[in-house]
Coordinates of all heavy atoms in Angstrom, one line a residue:
A1 N 5.1 24.0 -0.9 CA 6.4 23.4 -1.2 C 6.4 22.0 -0.5 O 6.0 21.9 0.7 CB 7.6 24.2 -0.7
V2 N 6.8 21.0 -1.2 CA 6.8 19.6 -0.6 C 8.2 19.4 -0.1 O 9.2 19.6 -0.8 CB 6.5 18.6 -1.7 CG1 6.6 17.2 -1.1 CG2 5.1 18.8 -2.2
N3 N 8.3 18.9 1.1 CA 9.6 18.6 1.7 C 10.1 17.3 1.1 O 9.6 16.3 1.3 CB 9.5 18.5 3.2 CG 10.8 18.2 3.8 OD1 11.9 18.1 3.1 ND2 10.8 17.9 5.1
M4 N 11.2 17.4 0.3 CA 11.7 16.2 -0.4 C 12.8 15.5 0.3 O 13.3 14.5 -0.2 CB 12.1 16.6 -1.9 CG 11.0 16.8 -2.8 SD 9.6 15.6 -2.8 CE 10.5 14.2 -3.7
S5 N 13.2 16.0 1.5 CA 14.3 15.3 2.2 C 13.7 13.9 2.6 O 12.6 13.8 3.0 CB 14.8 16.1 3.3 OG 13.8 16.1 4.4
A6 N 14.6 12.9 2.6 CA 14.2 11.6 3.0 C 13.8 11.6 4.5 O 14.4 12.2 5.3 CB 15.3 10.6 2.8
P7 N 12.7 10.9 4.8 CA 12.2 10.8 6.2 C 13.3 10.0 7.0 O 13.9 9.1 6.5 CB 10.9 10.1 6.1 CG 10.8 9.5 4.8 CD 11.8 10.2 3.9
N8 N 13.4 10.4 8.3 CA 14.3 9.6 9.1 C 13.7 8.3 9.6 O 12.5 8.1 9.3 CB 14.8 10.5 10.3 CG 13.6 10.8 11.3 OD1 12.7 10.1 11.4 ND2 13.7 12.0 11.9
M9 N 14.4 7.5 10.3 CA 13.9 6.2 10.7 C 12.6 6.3 11.4 O 11.7 5.5 11.2 CB 15.0 5.5 11.6 CG 14.7 4.0 11.7 SD 14.7 3.1 10.1 CE 13.5 1.9 10.5
E10 N 12.5 7.2 12.4 CA 11.2 7.3 13.1 C 10.1 7.7 12.2 O 9.0 7.1 12.4 CB 11.4 8.4 14.2 CG 11.2 7.8 15.6 CD 11.8 8.7 16.7 OE1 11.2 9.8 16.8 OE2 12.8 8.3 17.3
E11 N 10.3 8.6 11.3 CA 9.2 9.0 10.4 C 8.9 7.8 9.5 O 7.7 7.6 9.2 CB 9.7 10.2 9.6 CG 9.8 11.5 10.4 CD 10.5 12.6 9.7 OE1 11.4 12.3 8.9 OE2 10.2 13.8 9.9
R12 N 9.9 7.1 9.1 CA 9.6 5.9 8.2 C 8.7 4.9 9.0 O 7.8 4.4 8.4 CB 10.9 5.3 7.7 CG 11.6 6.1 6.7 CD 12.5 5.2 5.9 NE 13.6 4.6 6.6 CZ 14.8 5.1 6.9 NH1 15.0 6.4 6.5 NH2 15.7 4.5 7.6
K13 N 9.1 4.6 10.2 CA 8.3 3.7 11.0 C 6.9 4.2 11.2 O 6.0 3.4 11.1 CB 9.0 3.5 12.4 CG 10.1 2.5 12.4 CD 10.6 2.2 13.8 CE 11.7 1.2 13.8 NZ 12.6 1.5 15.0
A14 N 6.7 5.4 11.4 CA 5.4 6.0 11.6 C 4.6 5.8 10.3 O 3.4 5.4 10.3 CB 5.4 7.5 12.0
C15 N 5.3 6.1 9.2 CA 4.6 5.9 7.9 C 4.2 4.5 7.6 O 3.1 4.2 7.3 CB 5.6 6.4 6.8 SG 5.0 6.0 5.1
W16 N 5.2 3.5 7.8 CA 4.9 2.1 7.6 C 3.8 1.6 8.5 O 2.9 0.8 8.1 CB 6.1 1.3 7.8 CG 7.2 1.6 6.7 CD1 6.9 2.0 5.4 CD2 8.6 1.4 6.8 NE1 8.1 2.2 4.8 CE2 9.2 1.8 5.6 CE3 9.4 1.0 7.9 CZ2 10.5 1.8 5.4 CZ3 10.8 1.0 7.6 CH2 11.3 1.4 6.4
G17 N 3.8 2.1 9.8 CA 2.8 1.7 10.7 C 1.4 2.1 10.3 O 0.4 1.4 10.3
A18 N 1.3 3.4 9.8 CA 0.1 3.9 9.3 C -0.4 3.2 8.1 O -1.6 2.9 7.9 CB 0.2 5.4 9.0
R19 N 0.5 2.8 7.2 CA 0.2 2.1 6.0 C -0.4 0.7 6.4 O -1.4 0.2 5.9 CB 1.4 1.9 5.1 CG 1.2 1.0 3.9 CD 2.5 0.4 3.4 NE 3.1 -0.5 4.4 CZ 4.4 -1.0 4.3 NH1 5.1 -0.7 3.3 NH2 4.8 -1.7 5.3
D20 N 0.3 0.0 7.3 CA -0.1 -1.3 7.7 C -1.5 -1.3 8.3 O -2.3 -2.2 8.0 CB 0.9 -2.0 8.7 CG 2.2 -2.3 8.0 OD1 2.3 -2.3 6.7 OD2 3.2 -2.5 8.7
E21 N -1.7 -0.3 9.1 CA -3.1 -0.2 9.8 C -4.1 0.0 8.7 O -5.2 -0.6 8.8 CB -3.1 0.9 10.8 CG -2.4 0.6 12.1 CD -2.5 1.7 13.1 OE1 -3.3 2.6 12.9 OE2 -1.6 1.7 14.0
L22 N -3.8 0.9 7.8 CA -4.8 1.2 6.7 C -5.1 -0.1 5.9 O -6.2 -0.5 5.6 CB -4.3 2.3 5.8 CG -5.1 2.5 4.5 CD1 -6.5 3.0 4.9 CD2 -4.4 3.5 3.6
W23 N -4.0 -0.8 5.5 CA -4.2 -2.0 4.7 C -4.9 -3.1 5.4 O -5.8 -3.8 4.8 CB -2.8 -2.5 4.2 CG -2.2 -1.6 3.1 CD1 -2.6 -0.4 2.7 CD2 -1.1 -2.0 2.3 NE1 -1.8 0.1 1.7 CE2 -0.9 -0.9 1.4 CE3 -0.2 -3.1 2.2 CZ2 0.1 -0.8 0.4 CZ3 0.8 -3.0 1.2 CH2 1.0 -1.9 0.4
E24 N -4.6 -3.2 6.7 CA -5.4 -4.2 7.5 C -6.8 -3.9 7.6 O -7.7 -4.8 7.5 CB -4.8 -4.3 8.9 CG -3.5 -5.2 9.0 CD -2.8 -5.1 10.4 OE1 -3.5 -4.7 11.4 OE2 -1.6 -5.3 10.4
C25 N -7.1 -2.6 7.8 CA -8.5 -2.1 7.8 C -9.2 -2.4 6.5 O -10.3 -3.0 6.5 CB -8.5 -0.6 8.1 SG -10.2 0.1 8.1
L26 N -8.5 -2.2 5.4 CA -9.1 -2.4 4.1 C -9.4 -3.9 3.9 O -10.4 -4.3 3.3 CB -8.2 -1.9 3.0 CG -8.2 -0.3 2.9 CD1 -7.1 0.1 2.0 CD2 -9.5 0.3 2.4
D27 N -8.4 -4.7 4.3 CA -8.6 -6.2 4.2 C -9.8 -6.6 5.0 O -10.6 -7.4 4.5 CB -7.3 -6.9 4.7 CG -6.1 -6.8 3.8 OD1 -6.4 -6.5 2.6 OD2 -5.0 -7.0 4.2
R28 N -9.9 -6.1 6.2 CA -11.0 -6.5 7.1 C -12.4 -6.1 6.6 O -13.4 -6.7 6.8 CB -10.8 -5.9 8.5 CG -9.9 -6.7 9.4 CD -10.2 -6.3 10.9 NE -10.2 -4.9 11.1 CZ -9.2 -4.1 11.3 NH1 -8.0 -4.6 11.3 NH2 -9.4 -2.8 11.4
N29 N -12.4 -4.9 5.9 CA -13.6 -4.3 5.5 C -13.9 -4.5 4.0 O -14.6 -3.8 3.4 CB -13.7 -2.9 5.9 CG -13.8 -2.7 7.4 OD1 -14.8 -3.0 8.0 ND2 -12.7 -2.2 8.0
N30 N -13.2 -5.5 3.4 CA -13.4 -5.8 2.0 C -13.2 -4.6 1.1 O -14.1 -4.2 0.3 CB -14.8 -6.4 1.8 CG -14.9 -7.2 0.6 OD1 -13.9 -7.6 0.0 ND2 -16.1 -7.4 0.1
E31 N -12.1 -3.8 1.4 CA -11.8 -2.7 0.6 C -12.8 -1.5 0.7 O -12.8 -0.6 -0.2 CB -11.6 -3.0 -0.9 CG -10.6 -4.1 -1.2 CD -9.2 -3.8 -0.6 OE1 -8.7 -2.6 -0.8 OE2 -8.6 -4.6 0.0
D32 N -13.5 -1.5 1.8 CA -14.5 -0.3 2.0 C -13.7 0.9 2.5 O -13.5 1.0 3.7 CB -15.6 -0.7 2.9 CG -16.6 0.4 3.1 OD1 -16.4 1.5 2.6 OD2 -17.7 0.1 3.6
A33 N -13.3 1.7 1.6 CA -12.4 2.9 1.9 C -13.1 3.8 3.0 O -12.4 4.4 3.8 CB -12.0 3.6 0.7
A34 N -14.4 3.9 2.9 CA -15.1 4.8 3.8 C -14.9 4.4 5.2 O -14.7 5.3 6.1 CB -16.6 4.8 3.4
K35 N -14.9 3.1 5.5 CA -14.7 2.7 6.9 C -13.3 2.9 7.4 O -13.0 2.8 8.6 CB -15.0 1.2 7.0 CG -16.5 0.9 6.8 CD -16.8 -0.6 7.2 CE -18.3 -0.8 7.2 NZ -18.7 -1.9 6.3
C36 N -12.4 3.1 6.5 CA -11.0 3.3 6.9 C -10.5 4.7 6.6 O -9.3 5.0 6.7 CB -10.1 2.3 6.1 SG -10.7 0.6 6.2
Q37 N -11.4 5.6 6.4 CA -11.0 7.0 6.1 C -10.1 7.6 7.1 O -9.1 8.3 6.7 CB -12.3 7.8 5.9 CG -12.1 9.2 5.4 CD -11.4 9.3 4.0 OE1 -11.6 8.3 3.2 NE2 -10.7 10.3 3.7
H38 N -10.3 7.4 8.4 CA -9.5 8.0 9.4 C -8.0 7.5 9.3 O -7.1 8.2 9.5 CB -10.1 7.7 10.8 CG -10.2 6.3 11.2 ND1 -11.1 5.4 10.5 CD2 -9.6 5.5 12.1 CE1 -11.0 4.2 11.0 NE2 -10.1 4.2 12.0
L39 N -7.9 6.2 9.0 CA -6.6 5.6 8.8 C -5.9 6.1 7.6 O -4.7 6.3 7.5 CB -6.6 4.1 8.8 CG -7.1 3.5 10.1 CD1 -7.3 2.0 10.0 CD2 -6.1 3.7 11.2
R40 N -6.7 6.4 6.6 CA -6.2 6.9 5.3 C -5.6 8.3 5.5 O -4.5 8.6 5.0 CB -7.4 7.0 4.3 CG -7.1 7.7 3.0 CD -6.5 6.7 2.0 NE -5.6 7.4 1.1 CZ -4.8 6.8 0.2 NH1 -4.8 5.5 0.1 NH2 -4.0 7.5 -0.6
L41 N -6.3 9.1 6.3 CA -5.8 10.5 6.6 C -4.5 10.4 7.4 O -3.6 11.2 7.1 CB -6.9 11.3 7.3 CG -8.2 11.5 6.5 CD1 -9.3 12.2 7.4 CD2 -7.9 12.4 5.3
S42 N -4.5 9.5 8.3 CA -3.3 9.3 9.1 C -2.1 8.9 8.3 O -1.0 9.4 8.4 CB -3.6 8.3 10.3 OG -2.5 7.7 10.7
F43 N -2.4 7.9 7.4 CA -1.4 7.4 6.4 C -0.9 8.6 5.6 O 0.4 8.8 5.4 CB -2.0 6.4 5.6 CG -1.3 5.9 4.4 CD1 0.0 5.4 4.5 CD2 -1.9 6.0 3.1 CE1 0.7 5.0 3.3 CE2 -1.2 5.6 2.0 CZ 0.1 5.1 2.1
E44 N -1.8 9.4 5.0 CA -1.4 10.5 4.2 C -0.6 11.6 4.9 O 0.3 12.2 4.4 CB -2.6 11.1 3.5 CG -3.1 10.2 2.4 CD -4.3 10.7 1.7 OE1 -4.8 11.9 2.0 OE2 -4.8 10.0 0.8
S45 N -0.9 11.8 6.2 CA -0.3 12.8 6.9 C 1.1 12.4 7.4 O 2.0 13.2 7.7 CB -1.1 13.3 8.1 OG -1.2 12.3 9.1
R46 N 1.3 11.1 7.6 CA 2.6 10.5 8.1 C 3.6 10.2 7.0 O 4.7 10.0 7.3 CB 2.3 9.3 9.0 CG 1.7 9.7 10.3 CD 1.7 8.5 11.2 NE 0.9 8.9 12.4 CZ 0.2 8.0 13.1 NH1 0.1 6.8 12.7 NH2 -0.5 8.4 14.1
C47 N 3.1 10.0 5.8 CA 4.0 9.6 4.7 C 4.3 10.7 3.7 O 3.4 11.5 3.4 CB 3.5 8.4 4.0 SG 3.2 6.9 5.1
P48 N 5.5 10.8 3.2 CA 5.7 11.7 2.1 C 4.8 11.3 0.9 O 4.4 10.2 0.7 CB 7.2 11.4 1.6 CG 7.8 10.6 2.8 CD 6.7 10.0 3.5
Q49 N 4.3 12.4 0.2 CA 3.3 12.1 -0.9 C 3.8 11.1 -1.9 O 3.0 10.3 -2.4 CB 3.0 13.5 -1.6 CG 1.6 13.5 -2.2 CD 1.3 14.8 -2.8 OE1 2.1 15.7 -2.8 NE2 0.2 14.9 -3.4
Q50 N 5.1 11.1 -2.2 CA 5.6 10.1 -3.2 C 5.3 8.7 -2.7 O 5.0 7.8 -3.5 CB 7.1 10.3 -3.4 CG 7.5 11.5 -4.2 CD 6.8 11.6 -5.5 OE1 5.9 12.4 -5.7 NE2 7.2 10.7 -6.4
W51 N 5.5 8.5 -1.4 CA 5.4 7.2 -0.8 C 3.9 6.8 -0.9 O 3.6 5.6 -1.1 CB 5.9 7.2 0.6 CG 7.3 7.3 0.8 CD1 8.2 7.9 -0.1 CD2 8.1 6.8 1.8 NE1 9.5 7.8 0.4 CE2 9.5 7.2 1.6 CE3 7.8 6.1 3.0 CZ2 10.5 6.8 2.4 CZ3 8.9 5.8 3.9 CH2 10.2 6.2 3.6
V52 N 3.0 7.7 -0.6 CA 1.6 7.4 -0.6 C 1.2 6.9 -2.0 O 0.6 5.9 -2.1 CB 0.8 8.7 -0.2 CG1 -0.7 8.5 -0.5 CG2 1.0 9.1 1.2
K53 N 1.7 7.6 -3.0 CA 1.4 7.2 -4.4 C 2.0 5.8 -4.7 O 1.3 5.0 -5.3 CB 2.0 8.2 -5.4 CG 1.3 9.5 -5.5 CD 1.8 10.3 -6.7 CE 1.1 11.6 -6.8 NZ 2.1 12.7 -6.9
Y54 N 3.2 5.6 -4.2 CA 3.9 4.4 -4.4 C 3.1 3.2 -3.7 O 2.9 2.2 -4.4 CB 5.3 4.4 -3.9 CG 6.0 3.1 -3.9 CD1 6.5 2.5 -5.1 CD2 6.1 2.3 -2.7 CE1 7.1 1.2 -5.1 CE2 6.7 1.1 -2.7 CZ 7.2 0.5 -3.9 OH 7.7 -0.7 -3.9
F55 N 2.8 3.4 -2.5 CA 2.1 2.4 -1.7 C 0.7 2.1 -2.3 O 0.3 0.9 -2.3 CB 2.0 2.7 -0.2 CG 3.3 2.6 0.5 CD1 3.7 3.5 1.4 CD2 4.2 1.5 0.3 CE1 4.9 3.4 2.1 CE2 5.4 1.4 1.0 CZ 5.8 2.4 1.9
D56 N 0.0 3.1 -2.8 CA -1.3 2.9 -3.4 C -1.1 2.0 -4.6 O -1.9 1.0 -4.8 CB -1.9 4.2 -3.8 CG -2.5 4.9 -2.6 OD1 -2.6 4.3 -1.5 OD2 -2.9 6.1 -2.7
K57 N -0.1 2.3 -5.4 CA 0.1 1.5 -6.6 C 0.5 0.0 -6.2 O 0.0 -0.9 -6.8 CB 1.3 2.1 -7.4 CG 0.9 3.2 -8.3 CD 1.9 3.3 -9.5 CE 1.7 4.6 -10.3 NZ 2.3 5.8 -9.7
R58 N 1.3 0.0 -5.2 CA 1.8 -1.3 -4.8 C 0.6 -2.2 -4.3 O 0.5 -3.4 -4.6 CB 2.8 -1.1 -3.6 CG 3.4 -2.3 -3.0 CD 4.8 -2.5 -3.4 NE 5.2 -3.9 -3.0 CZ 5.4 -4.9 -3.8 NH1 5.3 -4.7 -5.1 NH2 5.8 -6.1 -3.4
R59 N -0.3 -1.6 -3.5 CA -1.4 -2.3 -3.0 C -2.3 -2.8 -4.2 O -2.7 -3.9 -4.2 CB -2.2 -1.5 -2.0 CG -3.4 -2.3 -1.5 CD -4.1 -1.6 -0.3 NE -5.3 -2.4 0.1 CZ -5.3 -3.4 0.8 NH1 -4.1 -3.9 1.4 NH2 -6.4 -4.1 1.1
D60 N -2.5 -1.9 -5.1 CA -3.3 -2.3 -6.3 C -2.7 -3.5 -7.0 O -3.4 -4.5 -7.4 CB -3.5 -1.2 -7.3 CG -4.5 -0.1 -6.8 OD1 -5.3 -0.5 -5.8 OD2 -4.5 1.0 -7.3
Y61 N -1.4 -3.4 -7.1 CA -0.7 -4.5 -7.8 C -0.8 -5.8 -7.0 O -1.1 -6.9 -7.6 CB 0.8 -4.1 -8.0 CG 1.7 -5.3 -8.5 CD1 1.6 -5.7 -9.8 CD2 2.5 -5.9 -7.6 CE1 2.3 -6.8 -10.2 CE2 3.3 -7.0 -8.0 CZ 3.2 -7.4 -9.3 OH 4.0 -8.5 -9.7
L62 N -0.6 -5.7 -5.7 CA -0.6 -7.0 -4.9 C -2.0 -7.6 -4.9 O -2.2 -8.8 -5.0 CB -0.2 -6.6 -3.5 CG 1.3 -6.3 -3.3 CD1 1.6 -5.8 -1.9 CD2 2.2 -7.4 -3.6
K63 N -3.0 -6.7 -4.9 CA -4.4 -7.2 -4.9 C -4.7 -7.9 -6.2 O -5.3 -9.0 -6.3 CB -5.4 -6.0 -4.7 CG -5.6 -5.6 -3.3 CD -6.8 -4.7 -3.1 CE -7.0 -3.8 -4.3 NZ -7.5 -2.5 -3.9
Y64 N -4.2 -7.3 -7.3 CA -4.4 -7.8 -8.6 C -3.8 -9.2 -8.8 O -4.3 -10.1 -9.2 CB -3.9 -6.8 -9.6 CG -3.9 -7.2 -11.1 CD1 -5.1 -7.4 -11.7 CD2 -2.7 -7.4 -11.8 CE1 -5.1 -7.8 -13.1 CE2 -2.7 -7.8 -13.1 CZ -3.9 -8.0 -13.7 OH -4.0 -8.4 -15.1
K65 N -2.5 -9.2 -8.3 CA -1.8 -10.5 -8.3 C -2.5 -11.6 -7.5 O -2.6 -12.7 -8.0 CB -0.4 -10.2 -7.7 CG 0.7 -11.0 -8.4 CD 2.1 -10.6 -7.9 CE 2.7 -11.9 -7.5 NZ 3.9 -11.7 -6.6
K66 N -3.0 -11.2 -6.3 CA -3.6 -12.2 -5.5 C -4.9 -12.7 -6.2 O -5.2 -13.9 -6.1 CB -4.0 -11.5 -4.2 CG -4.1 -12.4 -3.0 CD -4.9 -11.7 -1.9 CE -4.1 -11.6 -0.6 NZ -4.7 -10.6 0.3
K67 N -5.6 -11.8 -6.8 CA -6.8 -12.2 -7.5 C -6.5 -13.2 -8.6 O -7.2 -14.2 -8.8 CB -7.5 -10.9 -8.1 CG -8.8 -11.1 -8.8 CD -9.4 -9.8 -9.2 CE -10.6 -9.9 -10.0 NZ -10.4 -10.3 -11.5
L68 N -5.5 -12.8 -9.4 CA -5.1 -13.7 -10.5 C -4.7 -15.1 -10.0 O -5.1 -16.1 -10.5 CB -3.9 -13.1 -11.3 CG -4.2 -11.9 -12.1 CD1 -3.0 -11.4 -12.8 CD2 -5.3 -12.1 -13.1
E69 N -3.9 -15.1 -8.9 CA -3.5 -16.4 -8.3 C -4.6 -17.2 -7.8 O -4.7 -18.4 -7.9 CB -2.4 -16.1 -7.2 CG -1.1 -15.8 -7.8 CD -0.1 -15.2 -6.8 OE1 -0.4 -15.2 -5.6 OE2 1.0 -14.8 -7.2
S70 N -5.6 -16.5 -7.2 CA -6.7 -17.2 -6.6 C -7.6 -17.8 -7.7 O -8.3 -18.8 -7.6 CB -7.6 -16.3 -5.7 OG -8.3 -15.4 -6.5
E71 N -7.5 -17.2 -8.9 CA -8.3 -17.7 -10.1 C -7.4 -18.7 -10.9 O -7.8 -19.1 -11.9 CB -8.7 -16.6 -10.9 CG -9.8 -15.7 -10.3 CD -10.0 -14.4 -11.0 OE1 -9.4 -14.2 -12.1 OE2 -10.8 -13.6 -10.5
G72 N -6.2 -19.0 -10.3 CA -5.4 -20.0 -11.0 C -4.6 -19.5 -12.1 O -4.1 -20.3 -12.9
Y73 N -4.4 -18.2 -12.2 CA -3.6 -17.7 -13.3 C -2.3 -17.1 -12.7 O -2.4 -16.3 -11.7 CB -4.3 -16.6 -14.1 CG -3.4 -15.8 -15.0 CD1 -3.1 -16.4 -16.3 CD2 -2.8 -14.6 -14.7 CE1 -2.2 -15.8 -17.1 CE2 -2.0 -14.0 -15.5 CZ -1.7 -14.5 -16.8 OH -0.8 -13.9 -17.6
F74 N -1.2 -17.5 -13.2 CA 0.1 -17.0 -12.6 C 0.7 -16.1 -13.7 O 0.8 -16.5 -14.8 CB 1.0 -18.1 -12.2 CG 0.4 -18.9 -11.1 CD1 -0.4 -20.0 -11.3 CD2 0.7 -18.5 -9.8 CE1 -1.0 -20.7 -10.3 CE2 0.1 -19.2 -8.7 CZ -0.7 -20.3 -8.9
P75 N 1.1 -14.9 -13.2 CA 1.7 -14.0 -14.2 C 2.9 -14.6 -14.9 O 3.7 -15.4 -14.3 CB 2.2 -12.8 -13.3 CG 1.4 -12.9 -12.0 CD 1.1 -14.4 -11.9
P76 N 3.1 -14.3 -16.2 CA 4.2 -14.9 -16.9 C 5.6 -14.6 -16.3 O 6.5 -15.4 -16.5 CB 4.1 -14.2 -18.3 CG 3.1 -13.1 -18.1 CD 2.3 -13.4 -16.9
E77 N 5.7 -13.5 -15.6 CA 7.0 -13.2 -15.0 C 7.6 -14.3 -14.2 O 8.8 -14.5 -14.0 CB 7.0 -11.9 -14.2 CG 6.2 -12.1 -12.9 CD 5.9 -10.8 -12.2 OE1 6.1 -9.7 -12.7 OE2 5.5 -10.9 -11.0
A78 N 6.7 -15.2 -13.6 CA 7.1 -16.2 -12.8 C 7.9 -17.3 -13.6 O 8.6 -18.1 -13.0 CB 5.9 -16.8 -12.0
T79 N 7.6 -17.4 -14.8 CA 8.2 -18.5 -15.6 C 9.5 -18.0 -16.3 O 10.0 -18.7 -17.2 CB 7.2 -18.9 -16.7 OG1 6.9 -17.8 -17.6 CG2 5.9 -19.4 -16.1
G80 N 10.0 -16.8 -16.0 CA 11.2 -16.4 -16.6 C 10.9 -15.6 -17.9 O 9.8 -15.6 -18.4
K81 N 11.9 -14.9 -18.4 CA 11.7 -14.0 -19.5 C 11.5 -14.8 -20.8 O 12.2 -15.8 -21.0 CB 12.8 -13.1 -19.7 CG 13.0 -12.1 -18.5 CD 12.2 -10.9 -18.7 CE 12.3 -9.9 -17.5 NZ 11.4 -10.4 -16.4
S82 N 10.6 -14.4 -21.6 CA 10.4 -15.2 -22.9 C 11.1 -14.4 -24.0 O 11.2 -13.2 -23.9 CB 8.9 -15.3 -23.2 OG 8.3 -14.1 -23.2

């Protein structure tokens, strides 16, 4: 059974802290997940599973956006709805 009650502030802080450490590690190691495995486990154990899924998607999106921007392509959303 997954505990679906919202995490309290302390739990949220622990989750965000673990996420930030993991993301920094991935940034430093050029996305080498193996080098950050211990932080990944800590992240997964401190965050609700829904959040883990959300943050993973969020990171992929941010990386993708950064890549596009560094290649000089800006997503159409920036220019308003067509």
Side-chain angles (χ1 to χ4, degrees):
V2 178
N3 177 6
M4 286 312 286
S5 72
N8 66 30
M9 193 61 213
E10 242 163 64
E11 290 168 328
R12 287 203 298 272
K13 278 190 180 148
C15 169
W16 293 332
R19 175 203 62 190
D20 291 346
E21 282 179 23
L22 172 63
W23 286 13
E24 278 169 24
C25 177
L26 290 168
D27 287 340
R28 277 198 315 273
N29 292 289
N30 203 20
E31 302 303 314
D32 185 346
K35 290 197 173 120
C36 306
Q37 189 58 30
H38 58 297
L39 293 172
R40 173 86 207 170
L41 295 172
S42 156
F43 168 57
E44 286 179 1
S45 69
R46 287 189 187 146
C47 299
Q49 205 179 358
Q50 287 307 108
W51 290 27
V52 169
K53 283 192 187 128
Y54 170 79
F55 286 139
D56 283 347
K57 279 204 186 82
R58 178 105 190 109
R59 181 167 174 84
D60 285 342
Y61 170 73
L62 293 172
K63 278 194 325 220
Y64 175 67
K65 215 174 126 197
K66 207 195 239 166
K67 179 174 178 282
L68 292 180
E69 283 168 6
S70 71
E71 290 167 3
Y73 171 80
F74 294 90
E77 67 187 16
T79 60
K81 298 271 174 280
S82 50

